[in-house]
Amino acid sequence: MNFSLVLHGGAGTITRALMTSEKEQLYQSGLKDALNTGRKVLQYGGTALDAVCATVAVLEDNPLFNAGRGSVFNHQGRHEMDASVMDGSQLTGGAVTCVQNIRNPVLAARHVMEHSQHVLLCGAGAEMFAKEHGLEFADDDYFFDDFRFAQWKEVQHSETVQLDHTEKKFGTVGAVAVDIAGNLAAATSTGGMTNKKWGRIGDTPIIGAGTYANNTTCAVSCTGHGELFIRSVVAYDISCLMEYKGLSLQEACDLVVMEKLVKIGGEGGLVATDALGNVAMPFNSEGMYRAFCTPTDSEVLIYR
Amino acid sequence: MNFSLVLHGGAGTITRALMTSEKEQLYQSGLKDALNTGRKVLQYGGTALDAVCATVAVLEDNPLFNAGRGSVFNHQGRHEMDASVMDGSQLTGGAVTCVQNIRNPVLAARHVMEHSQHVLLCGAGAEMFAKEHGLEFADDDYFFDDFRFAQWKEVQHSETVQLDHTEKKFGTVGAVAVDIAGNLAAATSTGGMTNKKWGRIGDTPIIGAGTYANNTTCAVSCTGHGELFIRSVVAYDISCLMEYKGLSLQEACDLVVMEKLVKIGGEGGLVATDALGNVAMPFNSEGMYRAFCTPTDSEVLIYR
């Protein structure tokens, strides 16, 4: 019996110098909670798809992370969220973008995948779909966070668009898994960039860019400078390097994150697993909140 | 001096039996107009990027094609358009999705690429960006078409979402080119699916799915069942098969369109070119409006 689960809670300028030990513990326990939730699913024979959705939902519920409840404020002072999920056994995907007040965008993305003819739904239309399908909504208070609000107020009247990961709190969450049946899945969720305007969409809701899963290669969930991840089609690139060029999971991840992305200034990282349960967690930024488990091993990490 | 330009005006159930000779002539002259516009740009030493944008803009202005002026009606009786563009020399991209009343969405996509830090802008935000940058808007009358309206009225009160290409008029336009400097570019634009709801987004505005360009491999613009093209990351897959597996443009196109997409029921096609000026126009549907030119050759085609 073999399985693996890898998750991330965002990448960026995460250094020991900027961290208090109290904060560090909060992050570690947040990552551990999410990891344990997904691990239990896999241990008891659940699917990779169930595991990554449960893991990401726990991270969305934690205000520490820029996704779901902890989403940053956009230019209008609202929370606009994106999420996507892919089932590597069926090569099916679902995603929502620019949605407000959906408590767990990752569950909405899964609903799009399983209960619509579509892959990607947007804005008010996506919210209507979520309502019609009985997904849970939460009011603005639920998404309000003092730190996020201060973060926004600082730049509200400027044209500055802050990547959440230039701040002390960091953004985007995701998980990938392989279950004991050998099926792979990936899920990613984000609140985007502080003060973002013009309906900016990053890589998170884009199948192939921020999220990809394929039983024959790998499952990938990304975090970082979304525009550069879209242009590089990061998640699918790793799958192609394995399938067409015969690279191992680690080789493909290192090439894409440590060489190709670095070359164009694409800061960030990703988590990945293959059908054998190998895991990779490459990042080219100062740090990345991350954790993984297999039946015999488990670790929660923050810094390089 | 070498260059090539390939365009499409949509794929689908296009058969001689469903076509009158009058209609056929209209389509042929519409395709020829667009082709000549792009050809002139390339002949006089212009860039591939200028050529594909000019070509697609002419197709957007033609009510025959489901993009720009000829866009279909969505569930709310509105026109919601998507477009994207990629510059293969810089590996930069720009796109807009769910936009209304922008006369030429492809030009808005190019503006996002060249004048913002972003790749993909959505809805009202994207429209605000376009307004701030002086792009031309048109009122609803400009986008009104009797045929499109009748098409929508027929299914308005049903839950039917009609792919435009199940109708007698067909959807999505696009172009790819290589210029005499050896630079590649691709652009795609669409009005989506008749009666679409929930803010559905297809492959057209997704860099990697509907559009991709890379000087070292190819430029690709897709048309077809968007959901399956997203899940298959079609445009980037062709680039990867060339770069990582050493396939020729034609081999890569045939594998993706005639085998991989057919296997999952993904109806449609694409146009592609490589740096040597080779062109490919594979499709697995009944027909595809398409045309290409090189310095010595030129052809406008509709059926198999």
Side-chain angles (χ1 to χ4, degrees), chain A residues 56 60 66-68 71 79-85 94-100 102 104-106 108-109 120-123 172-173 187-193 196 199-206 211, chain B residues 120 122:
Chain A
V56 168
E60 284 179 337
N66 177 15
S71 294
H79 304 283
E80 232 172 29
M81 302 171 289
D82 305 324
S84 66
V85 60
V96 292
T97 184
C98 302
V99 296
Q100 301 184 339
I102 295 178
N104 289 108
V106 71
L120 177 53
L121 301 183
C122 172
T172 306
V173 306
T188 315
S189 180
T190 190
M193 295 155 81
K196 72 176 174 188
R200 177 259 184 187
I201 299 175
D203 63 317
T204 300
I206 311 293
T211 302
Chain B
L120 177 53
C122 172

Coordinates of all heavy atoms in Angstrom, one line a residue, chain A residues 56 60 66-68 71 79-85 94-100 102 104-106 108-109 120-123 172-173 187-193 196 199-206 211, chain B residues 120 122:
Chain A
V56 N -7.0 21.1 0.6 CA -7.1 22.5 0.2 C -8.2 23.3 1.0 O -8.0 24.4 1.3 CB -7.2 22.6 -1.3 CG1 -7.6 24.1 -1.7 CG2 -5.9 22.2 -2.0
E60 N -8.0 26.7 3.0 CA -8.9 27.8 2.7 C -9.6 28.3 3.9 O -9.8 29.5 4.0 CB -10.0 27.4 1.7 CG -9.5 27.2 0.2 CD -10.6 26.8 -0.7 OE1 -11.6 26.1 -0.3 OE2 -10.5 27.0 -1.9
N66 N -3.5 32.9 1.9 CA -4.2 33.7 1.0 C -5.1 32.8 0.0 O -4.7 32.6 -1.1 CB -3.2 34.5 0.2 CG -3.9 35.4 -0.9 OD1 -5.1 35.6 -0.9 ND2 -3.1 35.9 -1.8
A67 N -6.2 32.4 0.5 CA -7.1 31.6 -0.2 C -8.4 31.4 0.7 O -8.2 31.4 1.9 CB -6.6 30.2 -0.6
G68 N -9.5 31.3 0.1 CA -10.7 31.2 0.9 C -10.8 32.3 1.9 O -10.7 33.5 1.6
S71 N -8.2 35.3 2.1 CA -7.9 36.0 0.8 C -7.7 37.5 1.0 O -8.3 38.1 1.8 CB -9.1 35.8 -0.2 OG -9.3 34.5 -0.6
H79 N -13.0 40.5 -2.0 CA -12.2 39.3 -2.1 C -12.7 38.6 -3.3 O -13.8 38.2 -3.5 CB -12.5 38.4 -0.9 CG -12.2 39.1 0.4 ND1 -10.9 39.3 0.9 CD2 -13.0 39.7 1.3 CE1 -10.9 40.0 2.0 NE2 -12.2 40.2 2.3
E80 N -11.7 38.4 -4.2 CA -12.0 37.7 -5.5 C -11.1 36.5 -5.6 O -9.9 36.6 -5.6 CB -11.7 38.7 -6.6 CG -12.8 38.9 -7.6 CD -12.5 40.0 -8.6 OE1 -11.3 40.2 -8.9 OE2 -13.4 40.6 -9.1
M81 N -11.7 35.4 -5.6 CA -11.0 34.1 -5.5 C -11.0 33.2 -6.7 O -11.9 33.3 -7.5 CB -11.5 33.3 -4.3 CG -11.5 34.2 -3.0 SD -12.4 33.4 -1.6 CE -14.1 33.6 -2.1
D82 N -10.0 32.4 -6.8 CA -9.8 31.5 -8.0 C -9.5 30.1 -7.4 O -8.8 30.0 -6.4 CB -8.7 31.8 -8.9 CG -8.7 33.3 -9.4 OD1 -9.9 33.7 -9.7 OD2 -7.7 33.9 -9.6
A83 N -9.9 29.0 -8.1 CA -9.5 27.7 -7.7 C -9.7 26.7 -8.8 O -10.5 27.0 -9.8 CB -10.4 27.2 -6.5
S84 N -8.9 25.7 -8.8 CA -9.0 24.7 -9.9 C -8.7 23.3 -9.3 O -8.0 23.2 -8.3 CB -8.1 25.0 -11.1 OG -6.8 24.9 -10.7
V85 N -9.2 22.3 -10.0 CA -8.9 20.9 -9.6 C -8.8 20.1 -10.8 O -9.5 20.3 -11.8 CB -10.0 20.4 -8.6 CG1 -11.4 20.4 -9.3 CG2 -9.7 19.0 -8.1
G94 N -11.9 21.1 -13.4 CA -12.9 22.1 -13.1 C -12.2 23.3 -12.5 O -11.2 23.2 -11.8
A95 N -12.8 24.5 -12.7 CA -12.2 25.7 -12.1 C -13.2 26.8 -12.0 O -14.2 26.9 -12.7 CB -11.0 26.2 -12.9
V96 N -13.0 27.7 -11.0 CA -13.8 28.9 -10.9 C -12.8 30.1 -10.8 O -11.7 30.0 -10.3 CB -14.7 29.0 -9.7 CG1 -15.8 27.9 -9.9 CG2 -14.0 28.7 -8.4
T97 N -13.2 31.3 -11.3 CA -12.3 32.4 -11.3 C -13.2 33.7 -10.9 O -14.3 33.8 -11.3 CB -11.5 32.6 -12.6 OG1 -10.6 33.7 -12.4 CG2 -12.4 32.9 -13.8
C98 N -12.5 34.6 -10.2 CA -13.2 35.9 -9.9 C -14.5 35.7 -9.1 O -15.5 36.4 -9.3 CB -13.5 36.7 -11.1 SG -12.0 37.1 -12.1
V99 N -14.5 34.7 -8.2 CA -15.7 34.5 -7.4 C -15.6 35.1 -6.1 O -14.6 35.2 -5.5 CB -16.1 33.0 -7.3 CG1 -16.4 32.3 -8.6 CG2 -15.0 32.2 -6.5
Q100 N -16.8 35.6 -5.5 CA -16.9 36.2 -4.2 C -17.8 35.4 -3.3 O -18.8 34.8 -3.8 CB -17.4 37.6 -4.4 CG -16.5 38.5 -5.3 CD -16.9 39.9 -5.4 OE1 -18.1 40.2 -5.1 NE2 -16.0 40.8 -5.7
I102 N -18.0 32.6 -1.9 CA -18.0 31.2 -1.9 C -17.0 30.7 -0.8 O -15.9 31.0 -0.9 CB -17.7 30.5 -3.3 CG1 -18.8 30.9 -4.3 CG2 -17.6 29.0 -3.1 CD1 -18.5 30.4 -5.7
N104 N -15.7 27.8 0.1 CA -14.6 27.0 -0.3 C -14.5 26.9 -1.9 O -15.1 26.0 -2.5 CB -14.7 25.6 0.3 CG -14.4 25.6 1.8 OD1 -15.3 25.4 2.6 ND2 -13.1 25.8 2.1
P105 N -13.8 27.8 -2.5 CA -13.7 27.8 -4.0 C -13.3 26.5 -4.5 O -13.7 26.1 -5.6 CB -12.7 28.9 -4.2 CG -12.9 29.9 -3.1 CD -13.2 29.0 -1.9
V106 N -12.4 25.7 -3.8 CA -12.0 24.5 -4.4 C -13.1 23.5 -4.5 O -13.1 22.7 -5.5 CB -10.8 23.9 -3.5 CG1 -11.4 23.4 -2.2 CG2 -10.1 22.7 -4.3
A108 N -16.2 24.4 -5.2 CA -16.9 24.9 -6.4 C -16.2 24.4 -7.6 O -16.9 24.0 -8.6 CB -17.0 26.4 -6.3
A109 N -14.9 24.4 -7.7 CA -14.2 24.0 -8.8 C -14.5 22.5 -9.1 O -14.7 22.1 -10.2 CB -12.7 24.2 -8.6
L120 N -14.3 25.8 -16.9 CA -14.0 27.1 -16.2 C -15.2 28.0 -16.2 O -15.7 28.4 -17.3 CB -12.8 27.8 -16.9 CG -12.3 29.1 -16.5 CD1 -12.0 29.1 -15.0 CD2 -11.0 29.5 -17.3
L121 N -15.6 28.4 -15.0 CA -16.7 29.4 -14.8 C -16.2 30.6 -14.1 O -15.3 30.5 -13.3 CB -17.9 28.7 -14.1 CG -18.5 27.5 -14.7 CD1 -19.7 27.0 -13.8 CD2 -19.0 27.7 -16.1
C122 N -16.9 31.7 -14.4 CA -16.3 33.0 -14.0 C -17.3 33.9 -13.3 O -18.5 33.9 -13.7 CB -15.8 33.7 -15.3 SG -15.3 35.4 -15.0
G123 N -16.9 34.6 -12.3 CA -17.6 35.7 -11.7 C -19.1 35.3 -11.2 O -19.3 34.3 -10.6
T172 N -1.7 31.7 -1.9 CA -2.0 30.6 -2.7 C -1.7 29.3 -2.0 O -0.7 29.1 -1.3 CB -1.2 30.5 -4.1 OG1 -1.4 31.7 -4.8 CG2 -1.7 29.4 -4.9
V173 N -2.7 28.4 -2.1 CA -2.5 27.0 -1.4 C -2.8 26.0 -2.5 O -3.4 26.2 -3.5 CB -3.5 26.9 -0.2 CG1 -3.3 28.0 0.8 CG2 -4.9 26.8 -0.7
A187 N -5.0 20.1 -6.8 CA -6.0 21.2 -6.6 C -5.2 22.5 -6.1 O -4.2 22.3 -5.4 CB -7.0 20.8 -5.5
T188 N -5.7 23.6 -6.5 CA -5.0 24.9 -6.1 C -6.1 25.9 -5.9 O -7.2 25.9 -6.5 CB -4.1 25.4 -7.3 OG1 -3.3 24.3 -7.8 CG2 -3.2 26.5 -6.9
S189 N -5.8 26.9 -4.9 CA -6.8 27.9 -4.6 C -6.1 29.2 -4.2 O -5.0 29.1 -3.5 CB -7.7 27.4 -3.4 OG -8.7 28.4 -3.1
T190 N -6.6 30.3 -4.5 CA -5.9 31.6 -4.2 C -6.9 32.7 -4.0 O -8.0 32.7 -4.6 CB -4.9 32.0 -5.3 OG1 -4.1 33.0 -4.8 CG2 -5.5 32.4 -6.5
G191 N -6.5 33.8 -3.3 CA -7.2 35.0 -3.2 C -6.5 36.1 -4.1 O -6.9 37.2 -4.1
G192 N -5.5 35.7 -4.8 CA -4.8 36.6 -5.8 C -3.9 37.6 -5.2 O -3.2 37.3 -4.2
M193 N -3.8 38.8 -5.8 CA -2.9 39.8 -5.4 C -3.6 41.0 -4.7 O -4.6 41.4 -5.2 CB -2.2 40.4 -6.7 CG -1.4 39.4 -7.4 SD -1.2 39.8 -9.2 CE 0.1 41.0 -9.1
K196 N -5.3 44.1 -6.6 CA -5.4 43.8 -8.0 C -6.6 44.4 -8.6 O -7.6 44.6 -7.9 CB -5.4 42.3 -8.2 CG -6.7 41.6 -7.8 CD -6.8 40.1 -8.1 CE -8.0 39.5 -7.5 NZ -8.1 38.0 -7.6
G199 N -10.0 42.9 -13.0 CA -10.4 41.5 -13.1 C -9.2 40.6 -13.5 O -9.4 39.7 -14.3
R200 N -8.0 40.9 -12.9 CA -6.8 40.1 -13.2 C -7.0 38.7 -12.8 O -7.5 38.4 -11.7 CB -5.6 40.7 -12.5 CG -4.3 40.0 -12.6 CD -4.0 39.1 -11.4 NE -2.7 38.4 -11.6 CZ -2.3 37.5 -10.7 NH1 -3.0 37.2 -9.7 NH2 -1.1 37.0 -10.9
I201 N -6.6 37.8 -13.7 CA -6.7 36.3 -13.4 C -5.2 35.8 -13.5 O -4.5 36.1 -14.5 CB -7.6 35.6 -14.4 CG1 -9.0 36.1 -14.3 CG2 -7.6 34.1 -14.1 CD1 -10.0 35.5 -15.3
G202 N -4.8 35.1 -12.5 CA -3.5 34.5 -12.5 C -3.5 33.0 -13.0 O -4.4 32.6 -13.7
D203 N -2.5 32.2 -12.6 CA -2.4 30.9 -13.1 C -3.3 29.9 -12.3 O -3.5 28.8 -12.9 CB -0.9 30.4 -13.1 CG -0.4 30.3 -11.6 OD1 -0.7 31.3 -10.9 OD2 0.3 29.4 -11.3
T204 N -3.7 30.2 -11.1 CA -4.4 29.3 -10.3 C -5.6 28.6 -10.9 O -5.7 27.4 -10.8 CB -4.8 29.9 -9.0 OG1 -3.6 30.4 -8.3 CG2 -5.6 29.0 -8.1
P205 N -6.5 29.3 -11.6 CA -7.7 28.6 -12.2 C -7.4 28.0 -13.6 O -8.3 27.6 -14.2 CB -8.7 29.7 -12.3 CG -7.9 31.0 -12.6 CD -6.6 30.8 -11.8
I206 N -6.2 28.1 -14.1 CA -5.9 27.6 -15.4 C -5.3 26.2 -15.4 O -4.2 26.0 -15.0 CB -4.9 28.6 -16.1 CG1 -5.3 30.1 -16.0 CG2 -4.7 28.2 -17.6 CD1 -6.5 30.4 -16.7
T211 N -2.3 24.2 -12.3 CA -2.8 22.9 -11.9 C -2.8 21.9 -13.0 O -3.2 22.2 -14.1 CB -4.2 23.0 -11.3 OG1 -4.3 23.9 -10.3 CG2 -4.8 21.6 -10.8
Chain B
L120 N -4.0 37.9 -18.3 CA -5.4 37.7 -18.5 C -6.3 38.6 -17.6 O -6.2 38.6 -16.4 CB -5.7 36.2 -18.1 CG -7.1 35.7 -18.2 CD1 -7.8 36.0 -19.6 CD2 -7.2 34.2 -17.9
C122 N -10.4 40.1 -17.0 CA -11.7 39.5 -17.1 C -12.8 40.6 -16.9 O -12.7 41.5 -16.1 CB -11.8 38.5 -16.0 SG -13.5 37.8 -15.8

